Amino acid sequence: MTSRLMFRVLAALVAFTVLARIPVGFDVGFKFDSALAVIWAFGLLSLVLLTGYVGQISLCQATFAGVGAYATGLMVAGFHTDYLVAVGVGVAAAFTLGVIVGIPALRLRGITLAIVTLGIALVFDRYVFQDHAFEWFTGGTAGWRVDRATMFGLQMDSSKHLMSAYIVLLALFCVVALLMVNLHDSGAGRRLRAIRDSELSAATMGVNLTRYKLLAFGMSAAIAGLGGSFYPLVAGSVSPQPFWLFTSLQFAAIAVLMGVRYVPAAALGGVFMAVVPDVLTRFGHGTFMGHAYEISYDWFQIAVGVLLIVQLIALPDGVWGDLRARVRHARSAAGAIGGRKVKVA
Amino acid sequence: MTMLRVRDMTVRFGGIVALDGVSLDLNRGEILGMIGPNGAGKTTLFNCISGVIRPDHGSILFETNDLTYAPPHRRAQLGIARTFQNLQLWGSMTVQENLMVPMDALGRRNTFSDALYLPFSAYAERASSERARAILHVLDLGRYARTLAGDLPAGIQRRVEIARALAMRPKLLLLDEPAAGLDAQETAHLAELLHAVRERFHVSMLLVDHDMSLVMRVCDFVYVLDFGKLLARGRPAAIRNDPKVVAAYLGEESKKLTGDVMTVAAARKEEPPLLEVDRLAAGYGGLEVIRDVTLSVRPGEVVACIGANGAGKTTTLRAISGMIHPRAGHVVFAGRDVTGSPAERITKLGLVHIPEGRGLFPTISVEDTLRLVSNSAGHEVDIAPAFQLFPRLRERRRQLVGTLSGGEQQMVALARAILSEPRLVMIDEMSQGLAPTVVRQLFEIVRVFREQGIAVLLVEQFVESALDVADRAYVFEHGTIALSGPAVELRSDRTLVTGSYLGTAADASTIAAANGNGHHIDPALMEVMSVRVPAKVKRALEQRAENEGRPAGAVVVELLGKVDDQ
């Protein structure tokens, strides 16, 4: 067990070192994409916990990220606090909202829960992030401008220090991802997975459903909120658009596409969500055999839909899940030949 | 010393009284059995004790704690564990993990220290996994510790459920139909296992099961429920010979002899059969529920299928009507092979299946339900004959089906069936949960069906009433037909049928030795085979063993030898 833990820590360190170097040497746009990829990866990671581990459906993960972002913006631009303090407030706000959203989930499941969370996403999208009544929270139509930020007393302005923001984000992601993997195999993780497989027997075997479902929603929202809290730092301002309803739906779609039960799939999905649209807008136009063409962002959304259908048929456990199963299968087959194990069936 | 004290339990579902003032006492160290026909309220009482249902009235006292309204996890903390009839293991977790959940759900564990893998959590983790191994070892499940629970065959999953319940260190173990889906041999093993569990883990048990051979073998004391009330209680031997209990299972012994039934049966004998089922096999997932079922129904004949719960009667009907896909064998209806045809096509040929629970739409009115027949018939159907047959439905024509009583709902289902002008109606558990007077009325309707030349295939728990109305009957036992003959013959020899329900002492030892197919298999090998070998291969192996006239074990050993040589 301990050796497994060592392996995981090592894997996280290697991933951090490699990923931290990738944007170096690229232009600002790509650096921004990289940071955005980590923010989206947090959103997907929150679904790995909520859907992958506990089996609950949520279509308002972007709302949690948005609440984290606005709360952070309010603290930094409104009260001029240190950025880390603001992140703490953002995460706490998201956690609170998550627990509140979790209350209906105590009674609802499946499609009904999906509709309720969709409603919450819609309400926040229309009547909180874009409404005059909440200007104190959203900073008005322009949103909060975070052109000056300090972390541990160091300057972290997005215009000059995008790379440092990216590295802080990436380090945080690696830590949270490591904790998530550990959680999966731990006692608490087993209780959460027991709820996913059979709520009925989980309750009768001593798992407190109320507590663990609320905790799952709270923790999931906090993870999404942690990502969102860094959005003002990376983008320099907060606006409602990144956290609208459609992002929530995209989280759900891409989490399933990549494999909602696996932590690394969240990272994969984050890169997919941030980098592919940007590559399309940059290089997706030109002339081909004399005809001018343009691949817009809409094509990305269509591609996600098509990929999702293909994946559900061909790779039911998600891109990462099936990849993993294939590698393991090949490895065990090789082991069987070496060790001369004969299977009866 | 009383450990569990249930007083005056009453539960109502809508208008139906599922439990009516039942009291029960369970002593420490006792294995208490609870039996009764379908709809007697056993499962309801069981669910009240385990906290899944809240009673309308009454109290539950466990040791010194009042549990009447305590949530399930609170009961778990106090030492009540349960298993589930329909297997509720956590399928995507390993067997060992399944055992560790209840262990540390009851201990003091912390989500954050778990995620950080702090030394405290690591220590607790090791302790839990060692205890899980110990329990698995005692129940002879050690080799499955790392297997995903969902991949195991049903028989092993049952044992894992018991192991998981024991992981909670319970004082009281509630077992919900632990023998469901097991064959005679596995049931015999289960009985031994439960005795061993009581010795090793010092638990008391409350057992609900239809399988009399298990209840009679295992329990110290038996409660019998019928129509939500306590019918009898006592030692197993006394219960088996209690005329009240026999009557509850088989219905009252009827006095009148129906000579006219004989003539009807005789007259029809010359006609070719309307429905012919030949060596049908079917099941769900890894479980083969019926095999080698061969039966026939002639036009205008009433045929009853009887036998204990889980014997495969319902599955047979489902396989005939196309609701599930048969795995082997043939179904020929009206001269046409309909094996595995879609259900709606079979219905169009004139075979109507009224499933258990009646298959009605609760939010549609009586009249609209009957008019829906026009839709499948393809032309406007006059619904007046239905109201002539069931005057009560005319009064309630505007009422939603869901608000009707159980008996009235069954009438709607029968009326709907007769409007579609069928040639054969299959009725599954027509009298389930209904009062005797209503049941009598419904059986009268079955007579009307026959007078109109409609054949009927009945699955019925009220054996006496069924045999009263039927021309012929098939007795199911462990997934295949054990006995068949004219209803009058079966009725005259009551012991013949009683044996298949209440398990006589004489046949208990013989069924323990043989499996459902009637031949012997080495138990240890059976287990290995049931894990690794798909049902199809297993069946082929058994077939081959039978042909060669030697144990399946010998065949397997020989085949394994060949694999090794290569």
Side-chain angles (χ1 to χ4, degrees), chain B residues 9-122:
Chain B
M9 267 295 147
T10 301
V11 177
R12 293 184 201 90
F13 296 118
I16 301 163
V17 181
L19 264 189
D20 191 2
V22 173
S23 299
L24 176 147
D25 285 295
L26 185 137
N27 295 325
R28 190 178 301 282
E30 197 171 51
I31 302 185
L32 194 75
M34 197 154 65
I35 62 172
N38 256 329
K42 306 179 299 287
T43 304
T44 310
L45 180 56
F46 192 90
N47 283 339
C48 284
I49 297 171
S50 67
V52 180
I53 294 179
R54 285 170 163 242
D56 293 302
H57 186 76
S59 66
I60 301 168
L61 204 68
F62 180 69
E63 293 181 323
T64 53
N65 305 290
D66 182 9
L67 286 188
T68 317
Y69 300 111
H73 65 90
R74 168 88 184 121
R75 291 169 206 242
Q77 283 163 1
L78 290 172
I80 300 182
R82 72 167 288 185
T83 67
F84 295 85
Q85 180 189 349
N86 52 346
L87 295 171
Q88 296 272 351
L89 287 175
W90 300 302
S92 66
M93 296 161 71
T94 66
V95 167
Q96 185 177 328
E97 283 181 317
N98 264 277
L99 264 69
M100 288 167 74
V101 169
M103 269 179 213
D104 41 40
L106 299 175
R108 286 177 189 281
R109 296 287 291 272
N110 179 301
T111 309
F112 292 100
S113 89
D114 278 358
L116 290 169
Y117 208 72
L118 294 179
F120 168 73
S121 283

Side-chain angles (χ1 to χ4, degrees), chain A residues 1 190 193 196-198 201, chain B residues 88 92 97 104 114 117:
Chain A
M1 194 64 203
R190 278 194 299 268
R193 285 183 290 146
R196 173 187 71 193
D197 282 5
S198 166
S201 57
Chain B
Q88 296 272 351
S92 66
E97 283 181 317
D104 41 40
D114 278 358
Y117 208 72

Side-chain angles (χ1 to χ4, degrees), chain B residues 338-362:
Chain B
V338 293
T339 317
S341 295
E344 71 273 8
R345 196 173 300 163
I346 296 177
T347 310
K348 281 236 164 90
L349 291 174
L351 195 163
V352 174
H353 181 186
I354 303 176
E356 213 175 338
R358 295 148 202 149
L360 295 169
F361 315 108

Side-chain angles (χ1 to χ4, degrees), chain B residues 84-85 87 153-160 162 176-194 207 209-214 287-289 291 308-312 477-479 511 514-516 526-527 530 538:
Chain B
F84 295 85
Q85 180 189 349
L87 295 171
I156 309 282
Q157 285 199 27
R158 288 246 172 255
R159 270 202 346 245
V160 176
I162 294 173
D176 191 1
E177 304 211 10
L182 301 189
D183 66 24
Q185 191 185 30
E186 288 172 314
T187 306
H189 275 299
L190 181 67
E192 283 166 30
L193 180 76
L194 291 181
L207 178 113
D209 213 305
H210 290 292
D211 193 302
M212 288 301 144
S213 61
L214 180 74
L287 204 62
E288 192 169 83
V289 181
R291 60 197 93 79
N309 258 298
E477 234 181 284
H478 295 297
I511 54 169
N515 74 354
M526 266 293 283
E527 200 160 278
S530 61
K538 191 168 143 187

Side-chain angles (χ1 to χ4, degrees), chain A residues 282-301:
Chain A
R282 274 199 217 190
F283 306 109
H285 51 82
T287 49
F288 179 70
M289 292 174 70
H291 296 281
Y293 69 90
E294 194 179 337
I295 305 170
S296 65
Y297 182 67
D298 296 340
W299 283 97
F300 170 69
Q301 297 176 353

